[in-house]
Amino acid sequence: MTRVAILRYPGTWSERDFQHALSLVPGVESDILWHEDADLSGYDAAVVPGGFTYGDYVRAGAIAKISPATRELRRFADAGKLVLGSCNGFQILCEAGLLPGALVRNRGLEFRCDWVHMRVESDRTPWTAGLRGAVLRMPIAHGEGCWVADDETLADVESREQVVFRYTDERGAATLAANPNGSLANIAGVCNEGRNVVGLMPHPERCSEALLGGTDGYRVLANLAPALAGTPFAIYR
Amino acid sequence: MAVSDVRTGKEIVVTFEAADEATALDAVSRMGRELLANPVIEQYEFSLNKGVPV
């Protein structure tokens, strides 16, 4: 069994969605851990779900980064364990310095609740193995999803293949119109240099079964068990 | 009148007690570095105003 810890901070709202989505993946079991006493020993992977932790005060994800759970998460990531952050979870990982860049107010200043397409730019992460070039359709729901970084960081992230997901149209073209929030270079998700920590603004947990309008999230989450078992990627298409 | 520049920003006022100025400086510096500002997207500066002990 692959054991996944789902972190819950005050204001996290997508932890049960993640637990449900992960329950659909064979060989994976998950627990929701409260941030104050989150102990990640014994877990193979950790998920930081979306929400509005601490009411987004100071900046989205800022206060969560000084929570005990984030200290524990940093140790976990440093040990090479797998971490996935979605939406506010992505913001927390960037704030904590576990991922490059930062997420600021959407360029259009509006909260965007919509379906978007994004192309998998790198299959060299445990969550995207076998998906390179795939155009995935996932929901977004955020007001601060515009990924920014200085020129040097952007160049590094591109050259080291740390861009994992890029907003595109449904045919996989990274156009201006396909960018929902003004992110630099249409970047929807990145990984760290160690490639074990991945963050993205869209919500894979909300598109993991046909009943909810899409299954592309499952294609990402289903990579978990085989990634940790050392076997190739899931073949769910 | 010609406007040459406009900037907006955020002001955070924190009131606290400290044993001496060096301790206060260190505390404020840590607050900025560890929580109040994100150097990836923000620049910040701070000043200390000594008040009357409560």
Side-chain angles (χ1 to χ4, degrees), chain B residues 2-19:
Chain B
V3 176
S4 64
D5 188 28
V6 175
R7 70 169 289 278
T8 65
K10 190 164 26 172
E11 184 184 50
I12 302 172
V13 181
V14 183
T15 307
F16 64 100
E17 282 182 40

Side-chain angles (χ1 to χ4, degrees), chain A residues 9-46:
Chain A
Y9 297 84
T12 296
W13 73 13
S14 222
E15 73 276 22
R16 289 167 67 119
D17 302 51
F18 258 112
Q19 188 158 46
H20 174 72
L22 288 169
S23 76
L24 305 172
V25 183
V28 171
E29 60 180 20
S30 67
D31 297 309
I32 294 172
L33 305 186
W34 179 237
H35 78 118
E36 283 180 329
D37 44 23
D39 176 1
L40 295 175
S41 53
Y43 288 96
D44 305 297

